[in-house]
Structures are given as structure tokens and as C-alpha cells.
């Protein structure tokens, strides 16, 4: 028996491994992490990508609805050094985008370590290195690893965890309650009265999908919201804004966008959709609030197939009471209440990241911290912002790497060695 206990202790000790990474550790294998890895590959810098799920782009693969398409034209969503296939439509589908990301990883030979959940990461001032502790799950077996590296790239993104609001009575509501991350199709809600909480792009599109599947959706609009047509005269509204910003100040472009929106969509305030005082681009740049790009929801609101309701006061058994005193019978609730960063839960650092999990410095300076810490995909500017960060990070690390190694031959794989962790 004593020998058995010794064997267990011995095996447990060897299940905790210390791995030296000869280059940066990238936490997250979504579009941001893949883009950074590809740019580092171009610089000849080895790296290691850690991903808590068993696949790349787990948000897209596991937590998005079936009818989802990119809201912006593909040229604004492609990652560095590899464009979308020419035969892809202007607004690729969810499946097409996932296929693109998988081909991107294959093209640049990016092989993340999957099922590696980062528990904590901290900078060791004594050694001048980052220590990243993970738990790796393989079936019922769990192993602990500690990665030692000089550079740490945080690529877990803005949407790592779903936001579950606290609303009086929601816990006692007897109908279905799901977050948008669990929603796939309106098929399961056919014939039901569904309350969609949230009026961003997801909330509006889920309401449209529910309507198309013969459900009766109501969308909660608590505050003001900008709704813009996705296209104006056959041209992407976003693309028009980018072109105008090259010649005109932002406030002028905002006024032009609102005028075009009024011409195309009409007066939306009579449907309960009040516009903010700030223009759509100013609001996006200052508060990160993305305008809704309409793809047909407004037409259903006009026809009465989708109802717009004010904020919620409380839920009861099978009803919802609104702040205006109105009560509605409902069968299900879909919480399109968004996502948040999970960085504060695992990164032990207080200089670069704020308590909300975003870099303290605004775009375009939020990609680089101190002591080898970087952030990618926290710009609130979508995939184009992540690509901007990835290029900057790879150039910065690549410059130091080439100076110190004076390498003449690009290395294409991460070098690491294993030792017994003493921690």
C-alpha cells in the first residue's frame, strides 16, 4: 500500500509540467489569436497558441445562430495576409467564415493546444518572464501545465463570457429562458410569444428570425439606438462612411449618415426606436456602441409582426410587466444582452488592463502594455481592429526577436522543453 501511495504521488507530480516557450504565448484561438499567430509566422517568430475549447473560433462555431452572416463586406473582415476566396459573397455566411478561419489556420500552419484553460497568468519580476498556468482536459483526465515565456498576447477578445442580466422575477419565470449564445434557430419557438431582451444587431436579427419561423417576437428597447440601412443605393453604408472619413470630419459624416438613414428608412422614432443625441460614428468611437445595420427587421416592425416594447419592470409566472405598466403573456425569453471580456478572472495585472477587461488606452494605442504584455481584439472595431492589432504586435515582437537572435533563417515552429514544475 505504501508503494501504491508513492506511485500516485509520483504520477501526480509528473502531471504538472513546466514548458518553456521560445517566443510569445497567445491566449485564444479565435480570429484575433489566429491573426497574431499568422503575422508572427511572417516575422519568423515562434509562438504557442492556447485555446480552452476543442476547436478554433469557438464563439463562431458554438455560440452563434444559424442565419448569421458577416454584417460588413468581406474586404473589411478578412485577416492579414490571406483574403477571402473570390467566390465568397459580399457578406459571407457563418459556415463560410468558419471555413475561411480553418483554411487560414492550415495555410499558416497554426496548431493551437486545445482544451487548455488558462487559470492565471502573472509576470515574474525576478526572472523577467511570464508564467501562464493552465488546466488541460482530456476526457476525465486533467493535467496542469505552466508555460514560461517572455511575451504574453491576450487574444481572448471582447466576447469571452455572456452577460446574464439580473431582472426581478426572471428566476421564477416558468417558460424557456436562454441567452443568445444558445439560440440556433426560431424553429423551436414556432407559434410562441417570445420576448427578446436587447436591441443590438443580434437582438434585432434574432427577432427577424423568430418572425420568419412564425413566432410572435417582442423586442425590448430600453434606451436609444441608431438603426442604419446596411446598404444605401447598393453600396455598403460602412464602406461609404470609410470613404467619406478620408475627406470629411467625423461629425459631418455622421450627419450625412443620419440623413441617408432617414431617406431610406424614414422616421423610426414613431415605432419606439429613439435615436441617441450623438451620431452613430461618434457613439461607436467613444462608447463602443455599434449601430444596428438593418437587414429586414424594420419592415417587420412597421407591419406589426415584431413589437417594440420598453424596459422590463419584472417577470411573473408566465408574464412580463413593463415599466409603462403594460403586461404581456409570453412563452419564452431570449437574452440578447451581449458579452464581456473575462481577462480580469485570470490575468494578474493592473497596469495595462482595466477592471472591465479592456486595455486602459483607447484605440489605436491599446495593443501594447509593459513587460512584454500585448492585447489583440479589444478595439471595439471588429475584425479590422483585430487585424490592426495583430500586425502591430508581430512587428514589435519581430523587431526585438531579429535583433537579439540575429537569425537569418525563419523558424516556423515553437520551440519548447519540458521540465518538472516546482510550483
Amino acid at each position: 500500500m505504501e508503494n501504491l501511495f508513492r506511485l500516485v504521488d509520483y504520477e501526480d507530480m509528473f502531471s504538472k509540467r513546466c514548458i518553456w516557450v521560445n517566443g510569445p504565448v497567445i491566449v485564444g484561438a479565435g480570429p484575433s489569436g489566429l491573426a497574431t499567430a499568422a503575422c508572427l509566422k511572417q516575422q519568423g517568430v515562434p509562438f504557442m497558441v492556447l485555446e480552452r475549447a476543442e476547436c478554433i473560433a469557438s464563439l463562431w462555431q458554438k455560440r452563434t445562430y444559424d442565419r448569421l452572416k458577416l454584417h460588413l463586406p468581406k474586404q473589411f473582415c478578412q485577416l492579414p495576409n490571406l483574403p477571402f476566396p473570390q467566390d465568397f459573397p459580399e457578406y459571407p455566411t457563418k459556415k463560410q467564415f468558419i471555413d475561411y478561419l480553418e483554411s487560414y489556420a492550415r495555410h499558416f500552419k497554426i496548431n493551437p493546444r486545445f482544451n487548455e484553460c488558462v487559470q492565471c497568468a502573472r509576470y515574474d519580476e525576478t526572472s523577467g518572464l511570464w508564467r501562464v498556468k493552465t488546466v488541460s482536459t482530456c476526457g476525465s483526465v486533467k493535467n496542469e501545465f505552466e508555460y514560461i515565456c517572455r511575451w504574453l498576447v491576450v487574444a481572448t477578445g471582447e466576447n469571452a463570457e455572456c452577460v446574464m442580466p439580473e431582472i426581478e422575477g426572471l428566476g421564477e419565470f416558468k417558460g424557456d429562458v436562454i441567452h443568445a449564445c444558445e439560440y440556433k434557430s426560431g424553429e423551436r419557438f414556432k407559434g410562441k410569444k417570445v420576448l427578446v431582451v436587447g436591441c443590438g444587431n443580434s437582438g434585432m436579427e434574432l427577432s427577424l428570425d423568430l418572425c420568419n419561423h412564425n413566432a410572435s417576437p417582442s423586442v425590448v428597447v430600453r434606451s436609444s439606438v441608431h438603426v442604419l440601412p446596411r446598404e444605401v443605393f447598393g453600396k455598403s453604408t460602412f464602406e461609404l462612411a470609410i470613404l467619406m472619413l478620408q475627406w470629411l470630419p467625423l461629425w459631418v459624416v455622421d450627419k450625412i449618415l443620419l440623413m441617408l438613414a432617414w431617406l431610406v428608412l424614414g422616421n423610426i422614432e414613431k415605432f419606439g426606436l429613439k435615436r441617441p443625441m450623438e451620431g452613430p460614428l461618434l457613439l461607436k468611437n467613444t462608447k463602443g456602441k455599434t449601430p444596428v445595420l438593418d437587414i429586414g427587421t424594420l419592415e417587420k416592425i412597421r407591419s406589426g409582426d415584431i413589437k417594440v416594447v420598453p424596459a422590463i419592470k419584472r417577470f411573473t409566472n408566465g408574464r412580463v410587466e413593463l415599466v409603462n405598466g403594460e403586461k404581456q403573456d409570453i412563452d419564452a425569453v431570449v437574452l440578447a444582452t451581449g458579452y464581456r471580456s473575462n481577462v480580469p478572472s485570470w490575468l494578474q495585472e493592473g497596469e495595462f488592463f482595466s477592471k472591465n477587461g479592456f486595455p486602459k488606452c483607447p484605440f489605436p494605442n491599446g495593443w501594447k502594455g509593459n513587460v512584454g504584455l500585448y492585447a489583440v481584439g479589444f478595439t471595439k472595431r471588429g475584425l479590422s481592429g483585430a487585424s490592426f492589432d495583430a500586425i502591430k504586435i508581430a512587428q514589435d515582437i519581430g523587431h526585438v526577436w531579429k535583433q537579439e537572435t540575429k537569425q537569418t533563417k525563419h523558424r516556423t515552429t515553437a520551440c519548447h522543453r519540458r521540465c518538472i514544475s516546482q510550483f
Side-chain angles (χ1 to χ4, degrees):
M1 183 63 71
E2 182 179 349
N3 289 336
L4 177 61
F5 280 126
R6 287 178 179 174
L7 177 62
V8 171
D9 291 342
Y10 181 83
E11 290 179 346
D12 181 63
M13 180 179 69
F14 271 80
S15 71
K16 298 179 181 180
R17 298 186 179 95
C18 173
I19 300 176
W20 166 255
V21 179
N22 194 21
V25 164
I26 302 169
V27 182
S32 298
L34 295 178
T36 307
C39 291
L40 287 167
K41 181 83 71 168
Q42 296 291 87
Q43 293 283 335
V45 179
F47 55 83
M48 177 73 72
V49 181
L50 304 178
E51 168 58 46
R52 66 178 176 178
E54 74 279 7
C55 61
I56 65 167
S58 61
L59 173 66
W60 281 86
Q61 300 213 47
K62 296 176 176 292
R63 294 186 286 164
T64 50
Y65 43 95
D66 294 342
R67 64 161 289 143
L68 177 63
K69 294 183 179 180
L70 294 181
H71 290 112
L72 303 181
K74 61 183 180 182
Q75 64 265 33
F76 298 105
C77 300
Q78 61 195 21
L79 301 185
N81 305 313
L82 187 68
F84 281 100
Q86 290 187 352
D87 60 346
F88 272 28
E90 186 172 16
Y91 300 96
T93 65
K94 166 185 171 178
K95 182 182 183 305
Q96 288 172 325
F97 185 60
I98 292 171
D99 289 344
Y100 166 71
L101 293 178
E102 289 179 339
S103 66
Y104 191 87
R106 288 193 301 270
H107 179 82
F108 291 104
K109 296 181 174 59
I110 303 168
N111 299 301
R113 287 179 66 106
F114 294 117
N115 297 306
E116 292 258 6
C117 185
V118 175
Q119 303 296 298
C120 71
R122 67 179 181 87
Y123 181 72
D124 186 335
E125 293 185 359
T126 303
S127 63
L129 298 169
W130 283 91
R131 310 181 75 130
V132 184
K133 294 184 179 181
T134 71
V135 171
S136 175
T137 306
C138 183
S140 60
V141 179
K142 291 186 177 181
N143 291 306
E144 295 180 8
F145 294 92
E146 184 173 57
Y147 296 87
I148 310 296
C149 57
R150 180 172 174 184
W151 298 286
L152 177 65
V153 180
V154 179
T156 47
E158 304 165 357
N159 303 317
E161 305 291 346
C162 58
V163 174
M164 301 294 288
E166 294 183 6
I167 306 173
E168 183 181 346
L170 182 60
E172 287 73 48
F173 179 71
K174 301 302 182 183
D176 291 335
V177 179
I178 65 169
H179 191 272
C181 67
E182 302 172 76
Y183 183 100
K184 296 301 177 184
S185 166
E187 182 66 32
R188 64 180 280 194
F189 299 101
K190 185 177 182 179
K192 293 184 177 182
K193 296 176 181 178
V194 185
L195 187 70
V196 179
V197 184
C199 61
N201 278 293
S202 293
M204 290 293 199
E205 190 163 353
L206 295 187
S207 299
L208 177 61
D209 189 60
L210 286 163
C211 191
N212 290 340
H213 283 90
N214 298 314
S216 299
S218 298
V219 59
V220 175
V221 181
R222 290 192 309 164
S223 56
S224 55
V225 59
H226 278 299
V227 181
L228 304 176
R230 186 173 70 172
E231 294 181 341
V232 178
F233 309 126
K235 194 79 170 176
S236 161
T237 304
F238 180 79
E239 188 173 358
L240 281 174
I242 295 297
L243 290 172
M244 288 190 290
L245 284 171
Q246 296 178 11
W247 307 99
L248 301 170
L250 185 142
W251 69 269
V252 174
V253 177
D254 265 342
K255 287 189 176 297
I256 294 173
L257 289 177
L258 291 175
M259 181 181 67
L260 291 172
W262 190 87
L263 287 171
V264 176
L265 303 177
N267 180 14
I268 66 171
E269 293 201 7
K270 61 183 179 181
F271 303 115
L273 300 169
K274 185 178 179 181
R275 291 195 182 278
M277 296 296 292
E278 304 98 324
L281 296 182
L282 177 62
L283 198 62
K284 174 67 175 172
N285 287 350
T286 56
K287 299 180 181 178
K289 191 172 181 180
T290 303
V292 172
L293 297 176
D294 181 58
I295 57 172
T297 307
L298 201 56
E299 182 182 343
K300 297 294 184 181
I301 291 174
R302 282 198 192 94
S303 68
D305 294 315
I306 298 174
K307 295 179 181 179
V308 174
V309 299
I312 298 165
K313 185 175 182 180
R314 67 172 67 90
F315 285 95
T316 55
N317 187 359
R319 309 185 84 188
V320 61
E321 182 180 348
L322 306 172
V323 291
N324 63 358
E326 181 184 349
K327 296 180 180 179
Q328 289 188 4
D329 294 324
I330 54 172
D331 302 307
V333 178
V334 178
L335 300 170
T337 45
Y339 299 85
R340 61 169 168 250
S341 165
N342 70 353
V343 173
S345 69
W346 58 269
L347 181 62
Q348 297 178 7
E349 188 273 341
E351 295 292 327
F352 183 40
F353 278 90
S354 58
K355 291 182 179 180
N356 68 357
F358 283 78
K360 293 178 180 179
C361 292
F363 180 85
N365 301 312
W367 58 274
K368 184 179 181 179
N370 297 320
V371 295
L373 180 62
Y374 298 89
V376 56
F378 293 88
T379 64
K380 298 184 180 179
R381 282 167 169 75
L383 294 164
S384 61
S387 295
F388 173 90
D389 287 342
I391 293 168
K392 287 287 188 180
I393 291 168
Q395 288 175 342
D396 197 62
I397 295 176
H399 176 72
V400 176
W401 177 266
K402 290 170 185 176
Q403 272 194 333
E404 294 189 355
T405 61
K406 301 189 186 311
Q407 60 182 3
T408 57
K409 181 180 179 181
H410 286 189
R411 302 175 67 176
T412 58
T413 58
C415 296
H416 63 269
R417 60 178 173 81
R418 290 187 177 183
C419 60
I420 305 304
S421 175
Q422 302 300 314
F423 303 89

